[in-house]
Each structure stands twice: as structure tokens, then as C-alpha cells.
Amino acid sequence: MSNYKISNKRKGLLIVISAPSGCGKTTVVKRLRRGQRIGYSISATTRGRRTGERHGRDYFFMTVRQFKDGIKRNDFLEWAKVFGNYYGTLKGYVQRLQAQGKDVILDIDVQGAQQLMRKGVDATYIFMLPPNVMELKRRLMKRRTDTRATIQKRLSLAKKEMACAPRYDYIMVNKKIAETMRVIKMIIQSEKYKTK
Ligand code: 5GP
């Protein structure tokens, strides 16, 4: 017995969530962020700020120059270019949250998650799927933020990303938000009771 650690006293978990765009991941992550002991890794990005977004709450908005300096300084746990813009997870930021004993959510794309897997970063990797491709298309069209060509681009990327789903620890279909939240919370909870 002495070899067993009391697992829920360990430092916070890293929870990586990836999903093709239009899957409803933003809503899921927003709800998770309301949790008391949950921290959210605010990423750095070079993409423009959308209406309602705030620096330091949604992203740390950077210029390409600042981002590239960050790469040179080795500031990022992972980084990737998504739809022409740079996105990266700030190492120091994640470490600070973990040091506070919080579980940390990383909302990152498939390329970023794969970098972490390759580096052997100890995290819980969750992939969210849309109920089906038609539903994904419907959700993308409903957002009314993208042109037809962009939707097509997002759809074909989504198909490629979905092929990576089996590399994750958990795959879940985001059909109903309440059920998705219930399952993710259950996953986080059970990860804490793992012996290793
Ligand atoms: P959006 O621009 O819609 O906020 O995000 C676009 C995509 O970039 C999403 O799939 C999101 O998960 C991903 N993303 C956001 N932050 C990061 C990050 O730090 N690293 C990586 N690799 N992807 C990110």
C-alpha cells in the first residue's frame, strides 16, 4: 500500500481538449471555466481580436514579432499555426496555475495536442466530435461569421483532424451540452483517482 499515492492530493491535472471548429467546444470550455478549482490556460495568439474578446481573458494578443520572440525564448509549451495565425500555450502561465493546485484546461488544436503527446507531456487528452459532418456544417453556417469558402476549408480540416481522434485518451460526441459537461466532469474526477 505504501507505494500508492493519495492521488487527489497531486498537483493539478492538465486537461487538453481539441475539437474541429464548429463542434461547440467554446461553450463547453466556457462552462468548465466556471469551476472553482479549474484554471484555464489563456493562449497567446497573433490573430485579430474579435468583438467582445479581452486581452488577458480570452487570449494574450500579440504581434507576429512578439510571438516569434516568444518561440526563440522557449516560452511555449507548444505552438501551432491555425488558419494562418499563430497560437501558443504559455509555459509559465500553465505552471503558475498548476502551482495553485488547479486543474488546467488547454483548449488547443490537434497539431498542438500532438506536440504535447510527442513530448510525453502528462495530460488527459480529450477529443470532441460533432454528432456528424452534416450537423457540423449546419453549426458552422449558423455562426454566420464565415464565408462559404472558409466553411469549406474548416470542414475539410475538420475531417483531417477527426482522423487523429483515436490518439486521444477520450473521444466524446458533443450532442447535448448538459450531457457533455456531465461526461467531462466525470472524466476529470476519475483521472484524479488513477494510481499512476
Ligand atoms: P479561435 O481563433 O477560434 O479562438 O481558435 C482557433 C483554433 O485555435 C481552435 O481550434 C483552438 O483550439 C486553437 N487554439 C487556441 N489556442 C491555442 C494554442 O495555444 N495552441 C494551439 N495549438 N491551438 C490553439
Side-chain angles (χ1 to χ4, degrees), residues 19-94:
S21 78
C23 250
K25 182 178 61 168
T26 311
T27 313
V28 170
V29 169
K30 253 191 203 146
R31 291 203 187 183
L32 280 173
R33 283 179 76 173
R34 291 185 199 150
Q36 285 275 313
R37 284 180 36 85
I38 298 240
Y40 175 73
S41 159
I42 300 169
S43 296
T45 185
T46 62
R47 88 146 156 72
R49 204 183 301 196
R50 292 185 189 136
T51 324
E53 283 185 333
R54 251 194 0 229
H55 179 80
R57 183 193 63 188
D58 301 290
Y59 282 106
F60 293 109
F61 294 97
M62 288 184 179
T63 61
V64 173
R65 174 84 184 265
Q66 286 170 329
F67 198 97
K68 286 188 172 166
D69 286 344
I71 297 174
K72 277 191 214 137
R73 280 196 306 267
N74 200 18
D75 285 351
F76 299 112
L77 199 55
E78 61 72 39
W79 65 269
K81 214 169 176 183
V82 187
F83 299 119
N85 297 305
Y86 289 99
Y87 292 82
T89 302
L90 293 157
K91 228 187 261 176
Y93 192 81
V94 171

Side-chain angles (χ1 to χ4, degrees), residues 11-14 93-102 104:
K11 71 171 182 187
L13 301 169
L14 279 187
Y93 192 81
V94 171
Q95 278 164 353
R96 276 195 294 281
L97 289 173
Q98 280 193 301
Q100 293 165 19
K102 288 184 174 162
V104 185

Side-chain angles (χ1 to χ4, degrees), residues 7-8 11 73 81-82 99 101 107 109 132 164 167 173:
S7 48
N8 47 8
K11 71 171 182 187
R73 280 196 306 267
K81 214 169 176 183
V82 187
D107 168 353
D109 85 319
N132 56 54
C164 297
R167 295 184 202 151
V173 177

